[in-house]
Amino acid sequence: MARRPKSSLRPRYLKFHALIVFAFLFTPIVVLVTFSFNKARSGTDWTGFSTRWYHDLIHNEEVLQAFRNTLKVAIVATIVATVIGTLAAFALTRFKFRGRTSYSSLVFVSLVMPEVVMGISLLVFFKKIANFQLGLNTVILAHISFCVAFVIVVVRARLTAFDNRLVEAAADLGATPFQSFLRIVLPLAAPGIAAGAMLAFTISLDDVVITHFTTGPGATTLPIYIFGQVGKYGVSPSINALSTFVLGFSFLILALGGFFSARSARRGTGAIDATALG
């Protein structure tokens, strides 16, 4: 029999490799969700199925307050970081000015800087330079500072692939620069803006290190609460239930972000087609 070429065997190996990788990534999450329904107080010994930990979670005012703080920080930080990051991405992509390369390099500083260093630097700035009282406002400012870079990178990647001939064609058809921006540039950039906002929200949602350095009394977020409970009592079904709730909420935000991003992409394509027909 003729020997089979190696190329015909590669998909099988790739599928097996992908299965191993996904199992390595998601098995701990499956274990976490499973033990959140454990009847026993131990987080490692399974004794039976129970939903008591979720019931206790709903009626825990401390957890609910931490969740409200987390949402406040994430929503405000996402809105402000998306606006600043989008404007900065447009400036770095569509305009030429002195020092643009240096500014572009500085964007990546917060991406590669260790969170411990950024947390300490923000703490020193808030306490020694700005003389701010640590609390929810300082946490929001800290989250804005590191979320902006992620928005810039995502939106800039979208704008880099933008075809400027579309704007030139719109100008030839009599469109003003403002009309071209609203009907062509913004619809095409909308998926990148939505993706940057979603990334900023999820990063702000689960940040621990920087929040730990910049938080104050009454500004405990959900990740900080989970970290403190694990340090005191270890892994327990209540912590597993709380972590499962955060996981489910993150998946919900991811699904909504993907939906709106896809919708923005379709609307952007439709707007370009309408402009071309016009």
Side-chain angles (χ1 to χ4, degrees), residues 31-58 60 63 225-226 229-230 233-246:
V31 173
L32 170 71
V33 176
T34 301
F35 275 90
S36 67
F37 296 97
N38 190 8
K39 186 177 181 179
R41 291 184 175 274
S42 173
T44 56
D45 298 328
W46 178 267
T47 59
F49 181 86
S50 176
T51 59
R52 57 171 294 192
W53 307 112
Y54 289 94
H55 180 271
D56 296 342
L57 193 65
I58 296 175
N60 191 330
V63 172
Y225 177 83
I226 295 175
Q229 292 297 309
V230 171
Y233 308 108
V235 180
S236 63
S238 60
I239 297 300
N240 292 337
L242 186 55
S243 301
T244 302
F245 172 77
V246 175

Side-chain angles (χ1 to χ4, degrees), residues 99-112 149 152:
R100 186 178 68 167
T101 304
S102 300
Y103 287 123
S104 299
S105 301
L106 288 176
V107 171
F108 296 96
V109 172
S110 61
L111 297 179
V112 301
I152 293 176

Side-chain angles (χ1 to χ4, degrees), residues 109-181:
V109 172
S110 61
L111 297 179
V112 301
M113 183 184 300
E115 289 190 347
V116 174
V117 176
M118 179 172 287
I120 294 176
S121 63
L122 288 171
L123 174 62
V124 172
F125 175 78
F126 291 147
K127 294 293 290 184
K128 302 298 182 181
I129 307 299
N131 196 23
F132 288 163
Q133 182 68 32
L134 295 182
L136 205 60
N137 292 331
T138 55
V139 174
I140 292 175
L141 291 175
H143 283 219
I144 293 173
S145 65
F146 67 80
C147 286
V148 166
F150 290 95
V151 177
I152 293 176
V153 170
V154 175
V155 177
R156 189 180 179 186
R158 178 72 179 182
L159 294 176
T160 302
F162 180 78
D163 191 355
N164 289 321
R165 291 178 297 180
L166 296 174
V167 178
E168 296 174 358
D172 292 337
L173 294 173
T176 63
F178 184 72
Q179 290 175 335
S180 299
F181 176 79

